[in-house]
């Protein structure tokens, strides 16, 4: 069997049932450590699984994509192969290709969804899910090629008075995490190049950093403020550009988040790390 198991965004948000599957059902576990970052550290989970005598591989992209897919599927014909993925296993990942290959070969598939940045960012933003348009990822220009697609999405969404959720490029291996000001600047440069005016300096953006972790931060800023702000390195960011016209409750809520320092993230991270460590300790002393 092939199992795709969501890890949630953090130790605070990993579903208990998914953790049990990893501990009890999987013969081999590929931990996808390249599509996102798990808080506070994916190694806590890896160590716990290794101590439970699990066969664990911290997978790089080439191990789960392209020609490697056939090997993974062939293994899943003989044993329970699990792919553990940060967030939801199928949201903003390419893992649906593995499912297709497995099903084509008659391998049973079990998908275990989990909290994703998609629902988390929407929830934290105080904006209504009904009013979100298409989602896109902002990627940096490469070898002079500028990817205009995020701007096209923003334009389309704003024309329909919809909110836009942007994921920002990461390259975990190269330790590259795009900052919100880089992303906004890319959008502003594209619109300047095209001679358009979709986003203005005074428009509001919502920045969500390291969501569902102890380090979570939410910023409500104007485009101009966001472009001038110094954002932390090594941080995961999601950017939301609200529709031009907000629902009165949305407007009131984001103004309150902006003006009052009342919006917190309380986590049990330390307790949960201690629990994982005591699990490892108990297993070692058996
Ligand atoms: C390729 S997507 C993977 C999404 C993942 N499968 C999920 O369901 O959450 C990774 C991008 O999502 C955003 N992201 C993921 N986790 C985040 C977090 N905890 N806080 C803020 N942004 C996050 C970042 O923009 C990051 O580059």
């Amino acid at each position: 069997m092939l199992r795709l198991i969501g890890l949630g965004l953090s130790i605070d948000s990993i579903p208990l049932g998914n953790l049990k599957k990893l501990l009890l059902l999987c013969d081999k576990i590929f931990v996808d450590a390249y599509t996102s970052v798990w808080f506070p550290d994916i190694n806590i989970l890896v160590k716990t699984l290794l101590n439970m005598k699990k066969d664990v591989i911290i997978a790089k992209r080439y191990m789960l994509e392209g020609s490697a897919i056939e090997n993974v599927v062939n293994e899943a014909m003989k044993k329970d192969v699990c792919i553990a993925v940060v967030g939801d296993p199928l949201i903003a990942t390419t893992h649906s290709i593995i499912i297709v290959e497995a099903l084509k070969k008659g391998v049973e598939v079990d998908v275990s969804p989990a909290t994703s940045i998609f629902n988390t960012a929407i929830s934290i933003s105080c904006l209504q899910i009904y009013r979100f348009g298409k989602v896109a990822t902002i990627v940096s220009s490469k070898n002079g090629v500028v990817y205009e697609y995020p701007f096209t999405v923003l334009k389309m969404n704003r024309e329909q008075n919809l909110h836009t959720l942007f994921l920002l490029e990461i390259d975990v291996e190269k330790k590259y995490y795009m900052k919100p000001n880089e992303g906004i600047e890319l959008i502003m440069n594209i619109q300047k190049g095209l001679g358009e005016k979709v986003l203005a300096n005074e428009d509001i953006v919502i920045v969500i950093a390291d969501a569902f972790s102890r380090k979570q931060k939410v910023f409500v800023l104007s485009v101009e403020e966001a472009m001038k702000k110094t954002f932390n390195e090594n941080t995961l960011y999601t950017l939301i550009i609200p529709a031009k016209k907000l629902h009165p409750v949305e407007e009131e809520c984001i103004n309150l988040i902006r003006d009052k320092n009342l919006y917190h993230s309380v986590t049990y991270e330390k307790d949960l790390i201690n629990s994982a460590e005591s699990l490892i300790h108990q297993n070692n002393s058996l």
Side-chain angles (χ1 to χ4, degrees), residues 1 28 95 187:
M1 180 175 290
K28 179 164 187 175
H95 299 319
I187 297 276

Side-chain angles (χ1 to χ4, degrees), residues 104-122:
K104 279 205 289 203
K105 286 198 165 176
V107 175
E108 282 181 284
V109 175
D110 168 29
V111 176
S112 304
T115 300
S116 164
I117 187 55
F118 188 62
N119 68 294
T120 304
I122 292 175

